[in-house]
Amino acid sequence: MSTDRTLVDMGQHVTVAIIGTGFSGLCMAIKLKEAGIDDFVLLERAGAIGGTWRDNTYPGCACDVPSHLYSLSFEPSASWSRAYAPQSEIRAYLERCFDKYHVRPHVRFHAKVVSAEFEDERWRIRIEGGEDLTADILVSGVGGLSNPAYPKLRGRERFRGEQFHSALWNHDYDLTGKRVAVIGTGASAIQFIPEIQPKVGQLTLFQRTAPWIIRRDDRAFHPVEKFLFEKVPAVRWLYRQKIYWQHEWRAFGFTIYPPMLKAAALMGKANIRRSIKNPELRKKVTPNYTPGCKRILKSDDYYQSLDKPNVEVLTTGIAEVKEHSIVTDDGREVPVDAIIYGTGFAVHEYIGPVQIRGRDGADLATAWKDGAEAYLGTTISGFPNLFMLTGPNTGLGHNSMVYMIESQVHYVMECIKLMRERSLSFVDVREDLQKQYNESLQNRLKGSVWSTGCASWYLNEQGKNTTLWPSFTFAFRARTRRFVPADYELGKSKLHIVKPKPKERATAKLNGRANPA
Ligand code: NAP
């Protein structure tokens, strides 16, 4: 839903520019408004808000973290229809929040950021096909799941049938009766396969690595439950706490004591036995690595859908794609009408293809050539006033990313408050501190389940884990609770930054508060 009512036409300089309108961008915008900072812009490359929850519309798309937790803590919703709300409800939730908190007028749609350069103590941001703008502070709310990743398959461009990625689902293409190949068995594929299996003529699933899958136990909420969620906030709060702690304890197995994950393996194997009758298929889908090394998935119907006569699971690699078929490594040719890529996202790109230049022309891609790193996943030495939400090593395999986003946004706001109080023109995290932080983080990861030998997108090409937070989420929250000025080089040369507007000063006086400047 695009809008012409945009506040951001007001000028080419803003205090804060935020890239993206997903959970991160939204949360950041709300907190800025709460702090009385109104001259900010959200730059959105598409024509509607919502980020990954706008783009992913594949059948069966839902969150695999229960919605009462996968939502903003300060904006709970009593209206989730099910434990795991479908994509349409999550997107509607985001739309509602954009309106309720009056964030929508701050969004500049069809504004794809191509580069950002820190010069004269402000960020100069280039928009594809548009005018430059400048900002004191740049916040990336781009997220890790924004750019689809395609497998490098010989002959892929030769294919004459229909082919699309799960994140770019072609709803105009009718799959009924078609011979469909699905590549990938990650979180997205296991959600859409049960939806398309009854429709298609033949489904050939190319599985490279079997995922561990436990039961999701999804269910619709009873009207009485919804009534209680709405009328008794304590019930809603307790339910959220229950989900949080149910997920949080898994961090113990992931990061401190992987043998504990044997219980998850037993649950996963029981799920296979319960759901699949075919012994050969059972064997094919049984993983051979410690659960959690790759994300543990949840489903109540994926295995059942594989055990159907119109489905075949192939575990041999793909040698090439031809005009109307896929040829496997062992020479078998499978005729197909359509290929669906459930092959995930370019998660290691972080701020993605945007070219970022920091102090003295430092290039972020070069700084990150051996793997992305930041301080608290948020700030990067040499790139002042740049804040990355869901940045390096803030990802989770066990709990809600919205919790991490809120922790980071709090940290950024603490920093902005300090900048206002001390009239700082920039903050730049100390290089030695960033190095020390990342060394300790990588050491901690060594004892984790993610270092038990499986290949996963958690690791970059060099085998370094640049994606996951190696501890409890409450530990991250504790680290981000306070912004410590001594951790940063503080720039005081110019005083243009986030100074409260006269209107705000007057309000502060009226409220009896000290003038924040
Ligand atoms: P994914 O988890 O990265 O899975 C990609 C799948 O494609 C894997 O099975 C992978 O196999 C396979 N693959 C990749 N390249 C391949 C190749 N060249 N040949 C054969 N197979 C190949 O992607 P996703 O399922 O789209 O999920 C991405 C992220 O979104 C994950 O973090 C996921 O948790 C998240 N997600 C979350 C939800 C939610 O409910 N919150 C829903 C959907 C997705 P290998 O395992 O062998 O690499």
Side-chain angles (χ1 to χ4, degrees):
M1 238 193 322
S2 164
T3 175
D4 292 331
R5 299 173 295 116
T6 168
L7 283 179
V8 295
D9 292 335
M10 61 192 175
Q12 290 306 314
H13 180 80
V14 286
T15 298
V16 185
I18 304 166
I19 312 176
T21 61
F23 267 103
S24 296
L26 169 68
C27 184
M28 190 71 236
I30 293 173
K31 293 296 163 187
L32 284 170
K33 275 190 161 275
E34 274 178 15
I37 297 171
D38 233 1
D39 68 326
F40 65 87
V41 59
L42 292 103
L43 302 167
E44 171 53 63
R45 67 181 174 184
I49 63 98
T52 197
W53 294 107
R54 171 203 59 225
D55 294 342
N56 284 270
T57 60
Y58 60 77
C61 182
C63 185
D64 61 9
V65 175
S67 300
H68 275 270
L69 180 61
Y70 192 81
S71 43
L72 296 163
S73 61
F74 54 86
E75 185 54 37
S77 167
S79 61
W80 300 115
S81 65
R82 328 182 51 81
Y84 296 87
Q87 171 265 345
S88 57
E89 279 185 39
I90 301 170
R91 182 172 176 189
Y93 170 85
L94 290 169
E95 296 273 1
R96 258 196 334 269
C97 291
F98 267 83
D99 288 331
K100 177 174 171 183
Y101 291 92
H102 309 289
V103 177
R104 202 181 292 277
H106 292 266
V107 183
R108 189 181 287 182
F109 291 99
H110 305 291
K112 182 175 174 188
V113 178
V114 286
S115 68
E117 200 164 329
F118 192 71
E119 55 180 36
D120 297 331
E121 296 182 349
R122 49 176 61 179
W123 284 96
R124 173 164 295 282
I125 301 160
R126 287 198 44 226
I127 312 286
E128 191 174 76
E131 277 180 52
D132 289 4
L133 88 157
T134 55
D136 294 319
I137 292 171
L138 178 62
V139 178
S140 166
V142 164
L145 309 180
S146 40
N147 297 317
Y150 292 87
K152 290 189 184 79
L153 298 176
R154 189 148 63 92
R156 198 162 75 78
E157 66 297 336
R158 269 191 300 170
F159 186 63
R160 293 265 170 273
E162 181 63 27
Q163 50 178 335
F164 53 84
H165 191 279
S166 59
L168 298 165
W169 196 272
N170 181 358
H171 291 278
D172 294 332
Y173 183 77
D174 185 7
L175 291 163
T176 311
K178 299 286 190 331
R179 297 166 301 180
V180 178
V182 172
I183 302 179
T185 52
S188 303
I190 70 147
Q191 290 182 341
F192 70 72
I193 286 171
E195 301 293 320
I196 65 169
Q197 173 273 321
K199 247 190 200 181
V200 303
Q202 175 68 33
L203 194 154
T204 309
L205 175 60
F206 290 87
Q207 173 191 275
R208 189 165 67 179
T209 316
W212 281 104
I213 304 176
I214 57 172
R215 286 186 61 79
R216 185 160 72 150
D217 292 327
D218 186 25
R219 65 181 183 86
F221 286 123
H222 191 276
V224 175
E225 289 175 295
K226 285 170 78 172
F227 176 82
L228 286 174
F229 287 146
E230 192 181 334
K231 303 291 179 200
V232 192
V235 170
R236 203 175 52 214
W237 183 83
L238 281 170
Y239 184 62
R240 183 177 164 106
Q241 292 300 313
K242 175 180 156 263
I243 308 167
Y244 175 79
W245 290 107
Q246 271 174 348
H247 284 73
E248 189 67 348
W249 73 267
R250 289 205 252 152
F252 187 77
F254 287 169
T255 62
I256 295 171
Y257 189 61
M260 194 181 108
L261 297 164
K262 281 183 184 143
L266 290 176
M267 282 160 72
K269 283 180 181 165
N271 195 18
I272 292 172
R273 278 197 306 278
R274 194 183 310 123
S275 316
I276 297 177
K277 291 195 185 72
N278 178 341
E280 201 188 319
L281 180 60
R282 280 184 180 174
K283 219 189 276 173
K284 276 186 189 171
V285 299
T286 303
N288 59 358
Y289 54 91
T290 314
C293 187
K294 293 165 102 70
R295 190 179 175 92
I296 298 176
L297 308 182
K298 293 180 189 167
S299 173
D300 299 327
D301 49 12
Y302 170 69
Y303 284 142
Q304 289 84 341
S305 69
L306 298 188
D307 203 10
K308 292 285 185 320
N310 67 338
V311 180
E312 185 177 15
V313 178
L314 296 183
T315 53
T316 37
I318 296 172
E320 67 170 320
V321 178
K322 290 187 167 177
E323 278 82 353
H324 300 284
S325 62
I326 293 180
V327 182
T328 60
D329 279 342
D330 58 3
R332 183 170 154 200
E333 186 162 356
V334 183
V336 290
D337 302 308
I339 304 175
I340 305 175
Y341 299 98
T343 43
F345 299 86
V347 281
H348 297 279
E349 281 185 356
Y350 290 98
I351 197 162
V354 180
Q355 194 189 35
I356 303 284
R357 286 199 178 276
R359 285 171 103 172
D360 307 321
D363 174 41
L364 187 61
T366 309
W368 280 0
K369 64 180 183 338
D370 298 325
E373 64 171 48
Y375 179 61
L376 296 171
T378 314
T379 49
I380 307 150
S381 182
F383 298 84
N385 297 4
L386 170 65
F387 298 93
M388 297 201 64
L389 304 177
T390 70
N393 293 101
T394 58
L396 299 176
H398 73 285
N399 214 330
S400 168
M401 276 311 289
V402 180
Y403 183 95
M404 296 298 270
I405 290 167
E406 284 192 51
S407 303
Q408 285 190 286
V409 167
H410 173 82
Y411 183 75
V412 179
M413 288 311 302
E414 287 297 291
C415 171
I416 292 176
K417 281 177 199 157
L418 182 96
M419 293 174 88
R420 297 174 80 166
E421 279 161 19
R422 298 200 188 171
S423 294
L424 300 176
S425 58
F426 71 82
V427 295
D428 189 6
V429 67
R430 279 170 30 212
E431 195 181 353
D432 61 322
L433 183 76
Q434 181 180 312
K435 193 163 173 271
Q436 206 183 330
Y437 169 83
N438 280 282
E439 275 168 10
S440 127
L441 192 136
Q442 290 301 326
N443 273 337
R444 212 186 155 111
L445 280 162
K446 278 187 192 140
S448 75
V449 68
W450 308 298
S451 306
T452 53
C454 75
S456 79
W457 60 258
Y458 294 156
L459 312 177
N460 69 6
E461 280 173 4
Q462 292 91 357
K464 184 174 167 190
N465 189 329
T466 59
T467 53
L468 291 181
W469 169 245
S471 182
F472 296 95
T473 59
F474 58 77
F476 185 75
R477 181 148 294 188
R479 294 287 305 260
T480 48
R481 195 166 291 286
R482 269 186 346 108
F483 182 87
V484 181
D487 293 347
Y488 286 78
E489 180 190 340
L490 307 175
K492 279 202 109 171
S493 57
K494 288 184 189 168
L495 304 181
H496 55 73
I497 201 150
V498 288
K499 284 179 83 178
K501 287 177 264 177
K503 192 178 78 183
E504 267 182 75
R505 282 210 191 98
T507 320
K509 256 191 196 159
L510 278 177
N511 293 342
R513 284 188 275 123
N515 187 334

